[in-house]
Amino acid sequence: MFDFHMHSTVSCDGHDAPEKMVAAAEAMGLREMCFTDHIDDDPLGDSSQWQYTLEQYNAGYNHLNSDKVKIRLGMEFGMLVDNQALLAGRSRERHYDFIIGSVHFADNVDTYLPAFWKNRTVPEAEQLFLQTTLDCVNAHDDFDVLGHLTFISKARIHPTHAPISLETHKEVVAEIFKVLISKGKGIEINTSGVDRCGAYLPSADYLRLFKDLGGQIVTVGSDAHASDRVGQYCVEACQIVQDIFGHVCTFENRQPIFHK
């Protein structure tokens, strides 16, 4: 079992130290785990709180080891259409095994905030978010998988908490997948939506479309921000990916490993 998306106190919103997250992964019986702390870029505000320093990262992880679970080190980068230089600089500053490219802002607004939803219907908000995601994956190259494609479904401010319907937005989702596949990128199935909106992010129908279009790289991540969520629903998610693709992916040195 694998969990390739989690945040310790190296992220500003993480609740537990790296050592406690590793202990939780060992107790869960994980084979591999990857820390993916936040580098987010607020287009209109102060981004510093959402960006760990290299010193914080090194202090948190350089001494970590375990004889029970393989520990990988990564980053979750918040993509905007014009912050490629920030990603390039941060990705070069030390060795990373894995980089998740995620989208958290649309129309220059954090999608978790009421301003994003104001004066928009749910389908309009979803379409804007997905179109922004398409623009970002077109603009960026230095990432390995697209994180939580249907992210806004779990936002606390979401009016209905219904998962994003693939059928409603199939055209733009297919375009996102085609760009990812053409660039040799993958997607993740993020388990944090199960408790928030009743679905994986994205759900299995999205994975089947990704496969039908030629996609092969899929990782599994809990998006845990505390030790009690490490590995949460990852067994079930790994089984979904295994059933559809015949393998589950992890990463080492920015290269995918396919686990049959």
Side-chain angles (χ1 to χ4, degrees):
M1 181 171 63
F2 314 107
D3 188 344
F4 258 59
H5 189 153
M6 66 179 69
H7 304 271
S8 77
T9 47
V10 173
S11 289
C12 67
D13 57 353
H15 297 287
D16 287 322
E19 294 83 356
K20 192 169 182 180
M21 304 290 277
V22 171
E26 292 175 340
M28 284 288 294
L30 292 184
R31 288 172 55 189
E32 293 186 37
M33 64 188 298
C34 187
F35 289 100
T36 53
D37 290 289
H38 286 294
I39 295 291
D40 247 304
D41 196 8
D42 187 336
L44 300 179
D46 179 11
S47 301
S48 59
Q49 67 168 327
W50 288 103
Q51 298 182 14
Y52 59 78
T53 66
L54 180 60
E55 291 73 22
Q56 288 171 321
Y57 198 99
N58 289 344
Y61 298 126
N62 281 356
H63 66 287
L64 279 186
N65 62 79
S66 171
D67 58 3
K68 295 180 179 179
V69 58
K70 190 172 293 184
I71 301 170
R72 304 294 191 191
L73 298 179
M75 172 205 310
E76 182 183 11
F77 184 83
M79 297 187 294
L80 305 175
V81 294
D82 58 356
N83 65 349
Q84 297 91 335
L86 175 61
L87 176 54
R90 297 308 300 253
S91 67
R92 288 195 302 261
E93 68 187 5
R94 64 156 291 146
H95 168 266
Y96 291 103
D97 288 299
F98 181 54
I99 294 179
I100 299 171
S102 293
V103 177
H104 299 122
F105 287 80
D107 196 24
N108 292 325
V109 179
D110 187 336
T111 58
Y112 255 45
L113 298 181
F116 176 72
W117 298 89
K118 186 177 181 180
N119 298 326
R120 290 191 177 103
T121 65
V122 171
E124 288 170 345
E126 292 172 343
Q127 184 68 22
L128 173 59
F129 177 76
L130 292 170
Q131 182 60 51
T132 302
T133 300
L134 176 58
D135 295 341
C136 286
V137 298
N138 268 312
H140 281 270
D141 295 311
D142 193 15
F143 68 99
D144 301 313
V145 304
L146 174 65
H148 47 50
L149 171 59
T150 51
F151 171 74
I152 62 170
S153 298
K154 72 170 185 175
R156 289 184 174 87
I157 195 66
H158 193 295
T160 67
H161 294 290
I164 296 179
S165 164
L166 175 59
E167 288 306 312
T168 301
H169 303 285
K170 192 169 185 178
E171 183 176 345
V172 65
V173 170
E175 288 304 310
I176 292 168
F177 287 166
K178 289 173 184 177
V179 173
L180 292 172
I181 293 163
S182 72
K183 294 186 174 189
K185 310 301 183 185
I187 60 173
E188 76 161 353
I189 177 171
N190 185 301
T191 69
S192 65
V194 174
D195 290 341
R196 306 265 187 94
C197 64
Y200 295 101
L201 308 173
S203 50
D205 52 344
Y206 286 79
L207 301 186
R208 293 187 189 97
L209 176 60
F210 186 63
K211 182 177 186 295
D212 289 344
L213 292 171
Q216 287 294 314
I217 300 171
V218 183
T219 60
V220 171
S222 67
D223 212 341
H225 285 66
S227 57
D228 62 350
R229 287 188 174 265
V230 170
Q232 189 175 45
Y233 306 118
C234 286
V235 170
E236 297 87 345
C238 283
Q239 188 61 57
I240 291 169
V241 177
Q242 174 71 28
D243 289 346
I244 295 172
F245 293 88
H247 59 256
V248 181
C249 291
T250 60
F251 273 77
E252 180 180 9
N253 297 324
R254 304 290 306 279
Q255 296 298 314
I257 299 171
F258 295 82
H259 301 267
K260 297 290 185 180

